[in-house]
Amino acid sequence: MPYKKILLGYDGSQPSKKALEKAVELAKRLEAQLHIVGVIKPFEFAAIDYIPPEEIEKYEEEELKKEEIILKEAIEFAKKKGIEVITKVMEGEPAEELMTYADENGCDLIIVGKRGKGGFKRLLLGSTAGNLVKYANQSVLVVK
Ligand SMILES: Nc1ncnc2c1ncn2[C@@H]1O[C@H](COP(=O)(O)OP(=O)(O)O)[C@@H](O)[C@H]1O
Ligand SMILES: [Mg+2]
């Protein structure tokens, strides 16, 4: 049976929740493993200003905490539907990190929503979804 390890990119947005529902359903039917990854943005700062390391650390801790709450919701949702998932928080550019995760963990399908949180309204397809469709080594399912 194809698709034994599915990767869902999850940012807690409404479209990603829809993707979560489909991913859980598909994983159940295919008896596949479901991996859920949330990517947080690294701290960005202007090079001219000095930022105390404690502040950067605080930012990272807060982002990590927020992400863990988001992933916990996804874990709970999957559990209610009867499946155990594997989750991970990564840091960097979302599409790049998701591709790295999929390659390194032998995932054979990537699932994402059509849009995420934020992003440019004029884009019909979000940049993370678009970049995955263009550059990922795996098949990509964009849930609409
Ligand atoms: N930081 C992220 N971590 C994990 N998955 C993400 C992240 N950002 C986006 N995704 C996935 O990509 C989908 C599309 O989001 P994206 O392309 O970023 O759209 P937008 O430009 O509207 O933010 C989301 O529904 C989600 O499945
Ligand atoms: Mg986005």
Side-chain angles (χ1 to χ4, degrees):
M1 183 67 86
Y3 307 137
K4 278 291 161 204
K5 273 193 190 181
I6 299 171
L7 169 62
L8 170 72
Y10 190 69
D11 64 359
S13 64
Q14 217 46 50
S16 79
K17 283 186 177 152
K18 211 169 158 188
L20 169 66
E21 282 176 31
K22 300 290 177 193
V24 165
E25 196 59 40
L26 199 59
K28 264 175 79 173
R29 289 203 198 182
L30 298 177
E31 293 178 13
Q33 248 183 28
L34 180 58
H35 297 237
I36 304 179
V37 170
V39 185
I40 58 177
K41 277 200 206 109
F43 193 89
E44 279 169 31
F45 51 88
I48 19 157
D49 290 324
Y50 172 75
I51 293 157
E54 310 90 72
E55 211 158 295
I56 298 175
E57 224 167 85
K58 204 176 119 209
Y59 164 88
E60 307 239 315
E61 266 172 30
E62 278 169 9
E63 286 298 298
L64 191 63
K65 250 189 235 156
K66 273 192 258 170
E67 194 57 46
E68 278 168 352
I69 292 169
I70 288 173
L71 288 178
K72 216 172 182 174
E73 285 172 6
I75 294 169
E76 290 301 315
F77 176 84
K79 212 172 193 172
K80 265 192 227 149
K81 300 278 176 187
I83 70 161
E84 294 287 331
V85 297
I86 296 153
T87 58
K88 188 173 163 95
V89 178
M90 296 183 78
E91 189 176 331
E93 200 284 313
E96 262 176 48
E97 296 303 317
L98 290 170
M99 284 189 263
T100 301
Y101 185 94
D103 288 344
E104 286 179 355
N105 294 279
C107 297
D108 43 18
L109 177 68
I110 302 174
I111 302 182
V112 287
K114 184 182 166 192
R115 295 294 313 261
K117 54 179 178 190
F120 299 103
K121 290 271 183 295
R122 65 186 169 79
L123 291 180
L124 295 176
L125 182 68
S127 61
T128 306
N131 283 331
L132 287 169
V133 168
K134 273 191 239 164
Y135 304 116
N137 294 316
Q138 295 76 11
S139 294
V140 178
L141 170 60
V142 179
V143 175
K144 294 190 178 180

